[in-house]
Amino acid sequence: MIQINPYTPGAGLMPRCLAGRDEVLEKADETLARVAACFTARSVVYYGLRGVGKTVLLNEIEERAKDLDVFYEHIEITERGNFKSAVSLYTNKLMRRMSVIEMAKQSAGRAFGVLKAFHATYSPDGSVNFGIEGAAPPAVGVSDTGDFKNDLTELFTALGALAAKSGHGAAFFIDEIQYMAEADFEALIVALHRVSQKGYPLIVFAAGLPKIAKIAGDVKSYAERLFRFIPIGSLDSEAARLALSEPALAFDVHYDGDALDYILKETECYPYFIQEYGRQAWRQIKDHRISLLGAKAARETFERELDESFFKVRYDRATPKELAFMYAMVDCGGRECAVKDVAARLGKSVVEISTLRAQLIHKGFIYASERGEISFSVPQFNRYLERKRSA
């Protein structure tokens, strides 16, 4: 009996077959090649619903950055996290790695001075080893003004200059960027703008929910000139078939065509769902094949696994009022609905539900898909809520 299950549902876990993202990865390779050659490049934000593989993409691009000797650090933003402290820590790690490169040693002292002043202002309780003897003292009045836009700009230009001197590009990979405070995101945009003007090889690859594109446009009108905003959605049918069939073929297991069709319909070609369905269908192998009958037999456990993990961890974060709001969305039918219809079902005005709407957007449950309309950020969450209500 075949024991190894080749499917890997999970947050950011790399699938055995990363299908359907070739064009995105080719563009990332082009960007990384520019940075590796110490040219400036346009930063990138990947955005899409939960479960489409944004974190997987970041992880894959990180590996490609490593292959090109681009120095990088990964930052995951959390709802209650401190971006200011995090960027101080990870900038320190990058600067320390660059400081041992011979042609960058003379420039490292000033860069650490800028970082010291920044760290003292934004992470005074954190313990950071600045790593080199004889480094310049804190750059008083440069990156410690308390104006975060100015101070982050000074920090990034110091890091970018050091990256250029080292002969290596540098990159930050920022996941869950939608949780970044708008003021912090604005400062990031301003800092990257200056880095770009100076021609330094420092770039950001970021990933977040769909609302991030709107946030960027709201905080700075030139955000679209600094970032390429790339939507990441469900796979097309050909890529989805590969994502299912290729891991199985490595074990000489084949899907019947109608079994593949059935699974693609049930998962709507969302990468996370494909991995979970494949994991459950693997238990239905007979004579090295997964038939339509086996695919249908796996549906119940597939749905239960999603309900108990993927959906439940999000459901449990919602307050009773937030749940009532989302159930009203379900009653509107479909995945998208008008805010005024939700308000009507709750017996309130649009203004009265605006705070709840904002809370749900901040938590990542929903996003404003069109003017006056909202959608769930989690695929098939409306179906889950229907199952919870009828249980």
Side-chain angles (χ1 to χ4, degrees):
M1 182 177 180
I2 297 171
Q3 298 294 327
I4 299 172
N5 194 316
Y7 298 97
T8 55
L13 295 182
M14 186 64 67
R16 299 280 292 184
C17 175
L18 183 55
R21 306 303 188 202
D22 292 348
E23 184 178 348
V24 172
L25 290 171
E26 285 173 10
K27 289 180 179 178
D29 286 341
E30 292 172 5
T31 299
L32 285 171
R34 285 187 59 83
V35 174
C38 285
F39 285 89
T40 191
R42 196 173 171 193
S43 292
V44 182
V45 175
Y46 302 110
Y47 67 93
L49 304 184
R50 294 289 185 195
V52 296
K54 301 182 298 297
T55 301
V56 166
L57 274 176
L58 286 190
N59 290 338
E60 172 63 22
I61 297 167
E62 285 177 8
E63 290 301 309
R64 294 172 183 228
K66 185 189 300 182
D67 291 342
L68 290 172
D69 288 330
V70 172
F71 293 141
Y72 71 88
E73 288 295 333
H74 183 104
I75 303 174
E76 182 172 349
I77 308 297
T78 62
E79 285 184 69
R80 297 177 179 83
N82 185 335
F83 172 70
K84 298 177 177 68
S85 179
V87 78
S88 176
L89 169 65
Y90 291 113
T91 298
N92 177 59
K93 291 176 69 177
L94 287 172
M95 285 185 177
R96 291 185 68 187
R97 290 165 66 192
M98 294 173 189
S99 69
V100 300
I101 297 172
E102 190 63 36
M103 56 188 176
K105 285 182 178 179
Q106 290 185 348
S107 301
R110 181 190 177 279
F112 272 102
V114 173
L115 174 60
K116 283 181 180 180
F118 183 93
H119 181 76
T121 303
Y122 296 105
S123 188
D125 298 326
S127 176
V128 172
N129 177 2
F130 289 96
I132 58 174
E133 295 294 331
V140 177
V142 176
S143 55
D144 59 354
T145 66
D147 181 322
F148 189 54
K149 289 195 291 291
N150 171 83
D151 297 344
L152 186 65
T153 297
E154 294 287 357
L155 182 67
F156 270 30
T157 52
L159 176 61
L162 186 59
K165 288 288 186 180
S166 74
H168 292 259
F172 285 109
F173 289 83
I174 304 178
D175 203 5
E176 302 287 4
I177 196 172
Q178 76 279 350
Y179 289 134
M180 189 181 291
E182 288 193 14
D184 291 352
F185 192 34
E186 182 177 5
L188 178 66
I189 292 171
V190 170
L192 288 173
H193 189 205
R194 186 59 177 156
V195 165
S196 177
Q197 289 176 331
K198 298 287 283 185
Y200 292 146
L202 173 62
I203 192 173
V204 167
F205 285 93
L209 293 177
K211 72 171 188 174
I212 194 62
K214 182 179 185 303
I215 292 173
D218 288 345
V219 298
K220 279 294 176 186
S221 60
Y222 53 78
E224 290 188 1
R225 300 199 301 273
L226 295 172
F227 287 99
R228 283 187 292 121
F229 290 91
I230 300 177
I232 305 297
S234 59
L235 301 176
D236 62 37
S237 59
E238 182 180 351
R241 286 172 184 272
L242 281 175
L244 267 174
S245 60
E246 286 296 311
L249 286 174
F251 294 90
D252 195 28
V253 173
H254 301 261
Y255 284 84
D256 289 347
D258 51 3
L260 284 172
D261 291 340
Y262 180 82
I263 294 173
L264 266 55
K265 181 180 178 182
E266 291 299 312
T267 61
E268 298 182 294
C269 297
Y270 283 104
Y272 184 97
F273 293 175
I274 287 171
Q275 292 299 311
E276 186 59 70
Y277 212 122
R279 187 166 75 99
Q280 302 308 323
W282 195 250
R283 300 171 182 175
Q284 304 296 326
I285 297 170
K286 291 186 178 179
D287 299 325
H288 288 266
R289 301 196 72 83
I290 297 173
S291 65
L292 175 60
L293 187 63
K296 288 182 175 180
R299 185 181 183 280
E300 183 179 345
T301 53
F302 160 71
E303 195 172 85
R304 184 169 63 246
E305 284 295 322
L306 287 183
D307 287 359
E308 293 177 356
S309 57
F310 185 76
F311 292 128
K312 187 177 186 298
V313 294
R314 292 165 174 83
Y315 180 92
D316 288 348
R317 293 174 55 239
T319 67
K321 287 183 178 180
E322 290 167 348
L323 288 173
F325 186 107
M326 289 190 288
Y327 278 119
M329 288 178 63
V330 172
D331 291 337
C332 290
R335 281 183 275 188
E336 297 182 357
C337 58
V339 177
K340 62 182 179 60
D341 292 338
V342 174
R345 290 183 181 277
L346 292 172
K348 296 181 182 296
S349 69
V350 170
V351 173
E352 287 176 314
I353 67 167
S354 61
T355 300
L356 270 177
R357 173 180 171 275
Q359 288 173 194
L360 286 165
I361 290 174
H362 176 71
K363 286 186 174 182
F365 282 103
I366 66 174
Y367 68 100
S369 50
E370 299 289 345
R371 185 174 180 83
E373 292 191 348
I374 46 179
S375 301
F376 286 108
S377 298
V378 181
Q380 298 188 7
F381 198 64
N382 55 322
R383 297 187 194 178
Y384 170 71
L385 291 174
E386 288 172 341
R387 292 194 293 272
K388 286 288 290 185
R389 185 161 55 183
S390 61

